[in-house]
């Protein structure tokens, strides 16, 4: 083989090797793209699809009779429309009847005004030179009756993906008796709930499911399915011990009493002695010229009923023959019983030694407790 042919052969071998090497590299890259394709798709989809929690209807709160509602959940709907989801043929054959129906049901715009709004948004979106939208507000806070009527209209009856019918479902808490036991019943909100709404939230709120939401620019998330197609376990109802009739009397009499006496605050609790059930509870506050329930003072500002216990203890001491003049050491209103310190409300006072009568009249925790401990904590007293 001459020199020239040998060089040609080497060049040929080098070219073949390069082609094979390049082929291996390209197949590797294709293989990588196939393997990781789903990953990149999922990453991109996460920008436009998201799972969000969807709440069930909250349970109602009733008075003691289980009939009269103190608070209930009112369901309402927000309707929006994606004007470009339908094909041209479907859209053009249904838009007129849709707009006539919207005008009759909602009475907010004429049929021509609805048509101009919807067609204008559709045309603008399809024309890249103009700013359009896939999110037209049709109605806010409509009831179930109007929702069902809208759902049957031409185009909307094709659903979300073919007809552009977007449904958002909400619940609002309503108190039929307004201010009656309002603070005790409580407030339902995302943060800092109060009252029975907070204490029994787990039972009242029912089940929560996640729904797949689709993003529509610039800032709207809509469900992939209609919310009404989900089955939820509704929250449990709560029956309280509140008697609406007694509560009504208490509320209005307390209001009158505060007005007559120019009082800043007023609290009334009515308890059934036999059972301990609270039949009525009112906490009124005079603020900015009005009387309202702002804070449940009967619960929030509760303290030990020390004076009540002192009366019962004093009677027991008198029955044991303890003289009202019996001396007792109170150490300026501070004393340790077992491993806990007890204080008088006016600690530190300038009194070290007082008597039974004075301890009771001044409501001394330390004085009455010391006498009770001496008399009843002895072996004879315990027996």
């Amino acid at each position: 083989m001459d020199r020239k042919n040998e060089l040609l052969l080497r060049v040929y071998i080098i070219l073949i090797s390069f082609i094979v090497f390049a082929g291996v590299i390209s197949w590797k890259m294709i293989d990588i793209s196939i393997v990781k394709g789903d990953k990149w798709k999922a990453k991109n989809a996460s920008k436009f699809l998201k799972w969000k929690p969807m709440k069930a209807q909250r349970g109602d709160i009733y008075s003691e009779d289980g009939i009269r509602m103190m608070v209930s959940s009112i369901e309402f709907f927000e309707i929006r429309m994606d004007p470009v989801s339908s094909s041209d043929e479907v859209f053009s054959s249904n838009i007129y009847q849709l707009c006539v129906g919207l005008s009759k049901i909602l009475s907010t715009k004429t049929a021509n005004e609805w048509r101009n709004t919807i067609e204008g948004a559709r045309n603008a979106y399809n024309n890249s030179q103009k700013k359009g939208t896939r999110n037209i507000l049709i109605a806010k806070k409509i009831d179930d009756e109007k929702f069902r009527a809208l759902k049957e209209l031409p185009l909307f009856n094709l659903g979300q993906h073919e007809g552009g019918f977007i449904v958002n479902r909400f619940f609002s808490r309503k108190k039929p008796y307004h201010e009656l036991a309002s603070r005790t019943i409580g407030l339902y909100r995302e943060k800092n709930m109060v009252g029975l709404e907070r204490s029994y939230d787990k039972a009242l709120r029912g089940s929560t499911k996640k729904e797949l939401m689709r993003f529509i620019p610039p800032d709207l998330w809509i469900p992939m399915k209609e919310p009404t197609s989900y089955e939820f376990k509704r929250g449990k109802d709560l029956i309280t011990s509140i008697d609406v009739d007694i509560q009504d009397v208490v509320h209005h009499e307390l209001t009158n009493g505060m007005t007559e006496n120019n009082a800043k605050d007023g609290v009334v609790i009515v308890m059934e002695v036999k059972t301990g059930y609270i039949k009525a509870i009112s906490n009124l506050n005079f603020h900015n010229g009005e009387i309202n329930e702002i804070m449940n003072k009967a619960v929030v500002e509760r303290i030990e009923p020390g004076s009540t216990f002192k009366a019962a203890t004093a009677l027991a001491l008198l029955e044991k023959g303890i003289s009202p003049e019996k001396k007792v050491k109170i150490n300026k209103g501070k004393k340790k019983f077992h491993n806990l310190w007890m204080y008088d409300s006016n600690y530190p006072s300038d009194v070290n030694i007082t008597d039974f009568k004075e301890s009771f009249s001044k409501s001394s925790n330390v004085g009455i407790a010391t006498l009770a401990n001496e008399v009843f904590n002895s072996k004879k007293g315990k027996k």
Side-chain angles (χ1 to χ4, degrees):
M1 182 182 293
D2 57 22
R3 182 71 176 169
K4 182 179 179 182
N5 289 334
E6 184 179 350
L7 288 172
L8 287 172
L9 180 62
R10 287 184 178 182
V11 169
Y12 179 74
I13 291 172
I14 291 171
L15 285 172
I16 293 295
S17 300
F18 178 77
I19 291 169
V20 172
F21 178 75
V24 171
I25 293 296
S26 64
W27 277 108
K28 283 287 184 182
M29 293 186 70
I30 291 171
D31 181 56
I32 289 171
S33 67
I34 291 172
V35 171
K36 295 191 175 182
D38 290 341
K39 174 185 174 182
W40 301 122
K41 284 180 182 178
K43 190 173 183 180
N44 188 50
S46 67
K47 296 178 181 178
F48 300 98
L49 296 175
K50 187 176 292 186
W51 288 96
K52 290 192 174 184
M54 186 175 180
K55 298 178 181 178
Q57 184 172 359
R58 196 169 177 83
D60 299 327
I61 300 178
Y62 289 85
S63 62
E64 64 165 2
D65 57 16
I67 299 175
R68 289 177 285 188
M69 284 188 294
M70 306 294 287
V71 63
S72 63
S73 283
I74 307 299
E75 184 180 35
F76 64 92
F77 300 88
E78 179 186 84
I79 307 300
R80 293 177 178 269
M81 182 184 182
D82 178 358
V84 299
S85 63
S86 305
S87 65
D88 290 339
E89 182 181 354
V90 171
F91 184 85
S92 60
S93 62
N94 288 281
I95 184 62
Y96 174 72
Q97 291 299 327
L98 170 66
C99 294
V100 171
L102 290 175
S103 178
K104 289 181 179 179
I105 295 170
L106 300 176
S107 302
T108 53
K109 294 181 181 180
T110 65
N112 285 334
E113 287 173 335
W114 276 118
R115 187 161 189 169
N116 290 337
T117 299
I118 296 171
E119 286 187 339
R122 180 182 174 92
N123 294 335
Y125 189 87
N126 290 330
N127 183 353
S128 59
Q129 295 178 356
K130 295 182 180 180
K131 185 178 180 182
T133 179
R134 299 191 66 174
N135 170 26
I136 300 173
L137 178 63
I138 302 297
K140 292 184 73 173
K141 290 190 175 182
I142 60 170
D143 58 23
D144 184 69
E145 183 179 354
K146 284 189 176 180
F147 160 69
R148 293 185 183 280
L150 291 174
K151 189 178 178 181
E152 298 302 319
L153 291 177
L155 206 61
F156 282 179
N157 59 8
L158 299 177
Q160 180 173 303
H161 300 294
E162 291 185 51
F165 185 57
I166 302 169
V167 183
N168 291 308
R169 184 171 176 243
F170 301 96
F171 295 100
S172 175
R173 297 294 266 176
K174 300 293 182 183
K175 294 179 179 177
Y177 293 97
H178 307 293
E179 286 294 306
L180 294 190
S182 177
R183 199 68 183 183
T184 301
I185 297 301
L187 295 173
Y188 170 70
R189 49 197 177 193
E190 291 300 320
K191 294 182 179 180
N192 194 29
M193 284 190 287
V194 297
L196 297 177
E197 291 277 22
R198 176 178 177 176
S199 299
Y200 292 90
D201 176 56
K202 189 174 181 180
L204 288 166
R205 70 180 177 222
S207 62
T208 301
K209 291 185 179 180
K210 288 185 177 181
E211 62 174 338
L212 189 60
M213 306 288 283
R214 177 165 61 94
F215 179 68
I216 293 182
D219 58 3
L220 180 68
W221 288 92
I222 65 169
M224 293 292 289
K225 293 183 179 180
E226 290 185 18
T228 50
S229 67
Y230 291 91
E231 290 186 3
F232 284 98
K233 187 175 180 181
R234 182 182 178 278
K236 295 179 181 179
D237 293 334
L238 178 66
I239 299 178
T240 72
S241 62
I242 299 294
D243 184 313
V244 173
D245 297 321
I246 298 175
Q247 181 69 48
D248 185 45
V249 173
V250 165
H251 181 89
H252 289 96
E253 288 301 316
L254 181 58
T255 302
N256 293 337
M258 288 180 62
T259 303
E260 291 174 6
N261 295 281
N262 196 28
K264 181 182 176 182
D265 299 297
V267 175
V268 174
I269 302 174
V270 178
M271 184 182 77
E272 187 176 71
V273 178
K274 183 178 180 180
T275 62
Y277 289 159
I278 303 301
K279 313 304 288 184
I281 179 169
S282 281
N283 301 265
L284 302 182
N285 177 263
F286 186 79
H287 182 68
N288 292 335
E290 294 183 349
I291 294 178
N292 294 303
E293 281 216 339
I294 298 175
M295 179 185 292
N296 197 338
K297 287 179 173 287
V299 176
V300 174
E301 297 184 356
R302 66 189 185 277
I303 59 173
E304 307 94 327
S307 297
T308 304
F309 287 122
K310 289 188 193 75
T313 306
L315 288 171
L317 289 169
L318 290 171
E319 285 183 350
K320 285 292 183 179
I322 304 302
S323 169
E325 281 75 33
K326 180 177 175 60
K327 299 299 181 182
V328 56
K329 189 175 182 180
I330 64 171
N331 300 316
K332 296 185 177 182
K334 177 183 177 182
K335 188 170 184 178
K336 194 172 189 179
F337 293 89
H338 300 285
N339 63 333
L340 296 174
W341 286 98
M342 179 179 285
Y343 298 88
D344 283 346
S345 60
N346 63 340
Y347 172 81
S349 68
D350 55 359
V351 178
N352 278 311
I353 299 176
T354 183
D355 58 25
F356 178 16
K357 179 173 65 177
E358 191 75 6
S359 293
F360 183 73
S361 67
K362 297 291 179 64
S363 195
S364 170
N365 296 324
V366 173
I368 298 298
T370 298
L371 290 169
N373 189 56
E374 289 177 1
V375 175
F376 298 108
N377 201 30
S378 62
K379 288 184 179 181
K380 184 178 178 182
K382 287 179 179 179
K383 184 178 179 180

